[in-house]
Amino acid sequence: MARITFGGRELLRAARRFEEGLMDKISDIVYETARLIQTEAKALAPVDDGSLRDSIEMKMLGKYNAVVTVGVHYAVNICRPCW
Protein backbone atom coordinates (compact mmCIF):
# COMPACT_ATOMS: atom_id res chain seq x y z
CA MET A 1 0.00 0.00 0.00
CA ALA A 2 1.32 3.43 -0.94
CA ARG A 3 1.88 6.02 1.70
CA ILE A 4 1.23 9.65 0.88
CA THR A 5 2.36 12.43 3.17
CA PHE A 6 1.92 16.16 2.88
CA GLY A 7 3.68 18.94 4.65
CA GLY A 8 1.76 22.03 5.69
CA ARG A 9 2.56 24.08 2.56
CA GLU A 10 1.97 21.21 0.15
CA LEU A 11 -1.37 20.43 1.74
CA LEU A 12 -2.40 24.07 1.62
CA ARG A 13 -1.49 24.35 -2.09
CA ALA A 14 -3.37 21.15 -2.90
CA ALA A 15 -6.44 22.39 -1.02
CA ARG A 16 -6.37 25.73 -2.86
CA ARG A 17 -6.13 24.01 -6.25
CA PHE A 18 -9.01 21.75 -5.29
CA GLU A 19 -11.11 24.72 -4.16
CA GLU A 20 -10.45 26.68 -7.37
CA GLY A 21 -11.45 23.72 -9.52
CA LEU A 22 -14.54 23.08 -7.41
CA MET A 23 -15.72 26.70 -7.59
CA ASP A 24 -15.26 26.68 -11.38
CA LYS A 25 -17.39 23.53 -11.60
CA ILE A 26 -20.10 25.12 -9.43
CA SER A 27 -20.17 28.16 -11.72
CA ASP A 28 -20.52 25.86 -14.73
CA ILE A 29 -23.39 23.99 -13.05
CA VAL A 30 -25.24 27.24 -12.27
CA TYR A 31 -24.87 28.36 -15.90
CA GLU A 32 -25.98 25.02 -17.36
CA THR A 33 -28.96 24.76 -14.99
CA ALA A 34 -30.19 28.25 -15.90
CA ARG A 35 -29.74 27.47 -19.59
CA LEU A 36 -31.78 24.25 -19.17
CA ILE A 37 -34.56 26.17 -17.40
CA GLN A 38 -34.60 28.73 -20.22
CA THR A 39 -34.71 26.01 -22.86
CA GLU A 40 -37.54 24.16 -21.10
CA ALA A 41 -39.54 27.37 -20.62
CA LYS A 42 -39.19 28.19 -24.31
CA ALA A 43 -40.23 24.67 -25.28
CA LEU A 44 -43.36 24.85 -23.08
CA ALA A 45 -44.40 28.39 -24.08
CA PRO A 46 -47.44 28.56 -26.33
CA VAL A 47 -46.61 30.10 -29.69
CA ASP A 48 -48.86 32.49 -31.54
CA ASP A 49 -46.47 35.05 -32.97
CA GLY A 50 -43.44 33.86 -30.95
CA SER A 51 -43.02 36.99 -28.84
CA LEU A 52 -43.53 35.13 -25.52
CA ARG A 53 -41.00 32.47 -26.42
CA ASP A 54 -38.55 35.06 -27.73
CA SER A 55 -38.81 37.14 -24.54
CA ILE A 56 -37.55 34.33 -22.27
CA GLU A 57 -33.95 35.18 -21.42
CA MET A 58 -31.23 33.90 -19.13
CA LYS A 59 -28.68 36.19 -17.52
CA MET A 60 -25.75 35.43 -15.22
CA LEU A 61 -25.61 37.74 -12.18
CA GLY A 62 -22.07 36.91 -11.16
CA LYS A 63 -20.29 33.57 -11.14
CA TYR A 64 -22.80 31.79 -8.89
CA ASN A 65 -26.14 33.50 -9.61
CA ALA A 66 -28.39 33.36 -12.65
CA VAL A 67 -31.89 34.51 -13.46
CA VAL A 68 -34.37 33.48 -16.15
CA THR A 69 -36.85 36.20 -17.05
CA VAL A 70 -39.90 36.62 -19.27
CA GLY A 71 -40.18 40.03 -20.86
CA VAL A 72 -43.73 40.27 -22.18
CA HIS A 73 -46.36 41.83 -19.93
CA TYR A 74 -48.99 39.14 -20.54
CA ALA A 75 -46.76 36.21 -19.48
CA VAL A 76 -48.25 36.10 -15.98
CA ASN A 77 -51.67 35.37 -17.49
CA ILE A 78 -50.36 32.52 -19.61
CA CYS A 79 -47.70 30.96 -17.40
CA ARG A 80 -49.50 30.84 -14.05
CA PRO A 81 -49.97 27.41 -12.44
CA CYS A 82 -53.27 25.67 -13.14
CA TRP A 83 -54.20 24.53 -9.64
Side-chain angles (χ1 to χ4, degrees):
M1 178 177 227
R3 176 181 250 188
I4 301 172
T5 57
F6 287 99
R9 289 182 186 161
E10 294 166 339
L11 181 58
L12 186 58
R13 273 187 291 213
R16 284 185 181 150
R17 282 193 309 269
F18 176 77
E19 180 184 11
E20 289 169 3
L22 182 62
M23 298 310 283
D24 288 342
K25 290 287 185 190
I26 291 170
S27 179
D28 293 344
I29 290 168
V30 169
Y31 176 83
E32 289 300 323
T33 302
R35 189 60 75 190
L36 285 170
I37 292 168
Q38 177 195 27
T39 301
E40 186 72 13
K42 285 185 172 206
L44 294 174
V47 178
D48 187 14
D49 64 0
S51 59
L52 174 63
R53 183 189 59 220
D54 294 342
S55 75
I56 300 172
E57 297 179 348
M58 187 278 292
K59 181 178 180 183
M60 292 295 293
L61 304 175
K63 284 185 82 169
Y64 311 111
N65 295 304
V67 64
V68 178
T69 60
V70 180
V72 295
H73 68 280
Y74 57 86
V76 68
N77 298 321
I78 294 173
C79 300
R80 69 175 174 226
C82 298
W83 56 65

